[in-house]
Amino acid sequence: MPRVDDDLPSGLPPEEFSARIFGTAEPRTGRGLELSPFRGVRFVPGVAGGLASVTMPPYDLIDDAAAVRLLAGGGYNIVRLNLPRAAGESYATAGERLRRWLDEGALAIDRDPALYVYEASRDGTVLQRGLIGAVGLRAESERVVLPHEDVFPGPVRDRLALMTAADANLEPIFLLYGGGGDAAGAVDDAAAEEPLMEFRADDGLTHRLWRVTDPAVHARVAADLHGKQALIADGHHRYATYRALQARHHAAGDGPGPWDSGLALLVDSTRYPPHLGAIHRVLPDLRPGDAVERARKVFRVTGFPDEGDALEALAAASSPAFLLGGGDALHLLTDPDADALPRSMPSEHSARWQRLDTAVLDHLLIGDVWNVPETEDAIEVVHDDPSAAVARARRTGGTAVILNPLKVGDVLAVAAGGERVPRKSTSFGPKPRTGLVLRLLGKR
């Protein structure tokens, strides 16, 4: 696995970069899934302020406006560590600030190594509950930690620079596994006690955290997880960064150490099924009328004057199906031409991959029919909210493409087969709150 640094070729295709950094060709070691306890670092409310005011959503969900709001909300918000550039500061400054907050007592290190139980609920209904710990890093060839998306060098360089300057993991990635065993029982046992912390955030969720320090429970969890596989639901670039940091330390002769694992939330998807939302597209330079007329060549097109009716029809339609918006009406695309579809799909991919809505969208519609380049300027994305995507398209005079969410089983099957779903295919949630617990890599 290559060292990731400024000398990494900027033009390396994401498929090649991902294969190298995830380790598709590395030899298997036979080590299983590991989630180890660690001495967590947590905010001290009496010094830093209320936890709702110092924590934040994952960094890649924060746009410029949200970053400004977080910066205005309090001096100890973790955005100052995780996105220091929003305040015009360097990563070196963020690392210095982390150490200063520890000295000031705004952050404190737990005395004993622990696994942490994290819960997100809404109005008394538990949406997610899992274990936060240090996940052992595995090459993809091990088939233990499974990515389902490709990654790009730029974001990995960015997170590597921050992680190196902070000498810490500042937020967990999000992993799913099929469990139902001892680890899940340990989670629910801990959650029956009084939480270590509890607060309601501006995301409408109540966040709770418990600490599990009993070595006997740690051993139960380790034994249960050993033979399991974990899917990276969210945090592919951060997991790739963990791998890059590990390679850097090993290349320097540092040997085994805390860089051989990374901060993660592991959720039993059989006990707490995730929400899998769609990621809609907005093509600002493609006029809605042109999009519809060109789509008629390969799809059956049905018009809808009402957005609610159109969304219901999309939800009921057989895959692949898409809803186009941006003009006065919305148009449902169904039943693609039986000859056009196989001609547009990459032959090296499995039949399951070729049936994914996002694959059909990327290759048949965006690539062939509309001939739109796959760049951030040409294709914008909107998570979950179809109305927001349609509204954005209308503001730009462009076209919104509304999708149904992929099925969790399809994502798992594609990843288990060693493939990646197309970029921007999945929006798993709820994502763990950033700032509940941090993990230091150096001694303190």
Side-chain angles (χ1 to χ4, degrees):
M1 198 268 293
R3 171 174 170 166
V4 178
D5 213 333
D6 290 337
D7 58 355
L8 187 74
S10 59
L12 200 65
E15 295 84 1
E16 182 181 345
F17 177 73
S18 301
R20 291 171 65 188
I21 201 161
F22 286 136
T24 57
E26 292 184 21
R28 300 190 179 201
T29 65
R31 298 176 64 185
L33 180 63
E34 292 178 341
L35 194 73
S36 301
F38 67 101
R39 294 178 64 205
V41 177
R42 298 182 294 107
F43 279 106
V44 179
V47 178
L51 293 171
S53 68
V54 297
T55 58
M56 62 181 267
Y59 85 101
D60 53 354
L61 297 184
I62 302 298
D63 58 18
D64 291 342
V68 169
R69 289 195 299 272
L70 290 167
L71 287 167
Y76 286 107
N77 192 288
I78 196 169
V79 72
R80 297 180 181 274
L81 303 182
N82 217 25
L83 288 173
R85 290 180 178 172
E89 297 175 342
S90 69
Y91 290 153
T93 300
E96 293 165 2
R97 176 173 286 112
L98 170 61
R99 291 178 277 278
R100 186 170 69 250
W101 286 1
L102 285 162
D103 291 338
E104 294 171 352
L107 289 169
I109 306 172
D110 283 339
R111 184 186 63 184
D112 299 316
L115 295 172
Y116 297 83
V117 172
Y118 168 72
E119 177 190 282
S121 64
R122 188 186 304 275
D123 300 326
T125 299
V126 176
L127 304 178
Q128 181 189 85
R129 190 182 284 164
L131 281 170
I132 294 177
V135 67
L137 306 183
R138 301 288 181 265
E140 187 181 356
S141 59
E142 296 274 352
R143 316 306 301 150
V144 172
V145 179
L146 303 176
H148 72 271
E149 292 181 350
D150 283 325
V151 294
F152 293 76
V156 175
R157 285 197 191 97
D158 173 76
R159 291 295 97 180
L160 183 59
L162 175 62
M163 212 173 288
T164 301
D167 203 17
N169 300 152
L170 298 176
E171 62 180 334
I173 63 172
F174 176 19
L175 303 175
L176 296 171
Y177 80 106
D182 242 6
V187 166
D188 290 340
D189 288 346
E193 306 295 329
E194 285 296 314
L196 188 66
M197 61 173 71
E198 177 177 354
F199 65 97
R200 184 180 176 89
D202 56 6
D203 57 9
L205 301 181
T206 297
H207 303 269
R208 296 184 179 91
L209 194 74
W210 293 262
R211 182 173 50 203
V212 180
T213 58
D214 186 348
V217 177
H218 299 166
R220 285 172 49 201
V221 169
D224 183 41
L225 294 182
H226 179 75
K228 302 292 195 302
Q229 287 182 321
L231 176 76
I232 303 175
D234 185 65
H236 283 78
H237 285 96
R238 280 165 282 159
Y239 185 77
T241 304
Y242 293 162
R243 293 263 303 156
L245 186 66
Q246 178 189 42
R248 176 172 289 181
H249 277 282
H250 287 180
D254 291 337
W259 40 83
D260 293 319
S261 55
L263 188 62
L265 168 68
L266 181 67
V267 174
D268 180 352
S269 61
T270 59
R271 192 71 69 90
Y272 299 100
H275 167 73
L276 179 51
I279 302 179
H280 312 297
R281 273 54 163 180
V282 176
L283 289 68
D285 296 327
L286 180 64
R287 292 182 296 175
D290 290 345
V292 171
E293 288 310 308
R294 289 155 71 177
R296 288 187 193 278
K297 298 176 182 178
V298 291
F299 280 91
R300 176 181 295 171
V301 179
T302 307
F304 289 85
D306 180 76
E307 183 177 313
D309 292 340
L311 291 171
E312 287 184 8
L314 174 65
S318 298
S319 178
F322 310 96
L323 189 64
L324 305 187
D328 295 333
L330 293 99
H331 295 82
L332 180 67
L333 310 185
T334 56
D335 304 313
D337 180 86
D339 294 325
L341 190 57
R343 283 200 307 267
S344 68
M345 304 306 290
S347 59
E348 67 270 18
H349 284 290
S350 67
R352 184 187 294 273
W353 187 96
Q354 293 184 20
R355 291 194 299 269
L356 296 174
D357 281 13
T358 47
V360 175
L361 172 62
D362 284 352
H363 292 276
L364 178 56
L365 273 174
I366 291 177
D368 286 0
V369 174
W370 294 331
N371 194 28
V372 174
E374 288 198 54
T375 65
E376 292 184 4
D377 293 334
I379 305 174
E380 302 173 2
V381 298
V382 176
H383 288 251
D384 280 334
D385 190 342
S387 297
V390 172
R392 183 184 296 186
R394 286 174 175 158
R395 287 196 302 270
T396 63
T399 298
V401 185
I402 309 305
L403 298 88
N404 284 321
L406 297 185
K407 295 179 174 60
V408 175
D410 286 337
V411 177
L412 287 167
V414 167
E419 294 182 291
R420 315 266 196 266
V421 300
R423 189 176 182 227
K424 300 298 182 184
S425 287
T426 60
S427 180
F428 280 98
K431 304 180 194 304
R433 188 84 174 170
T434 296
L436 291 179
V437 59
L438 289 61
R439 175 175 176 257
L440 299 181
L441 298 176
K443 293 182 179 179
R444 187 165 178 99

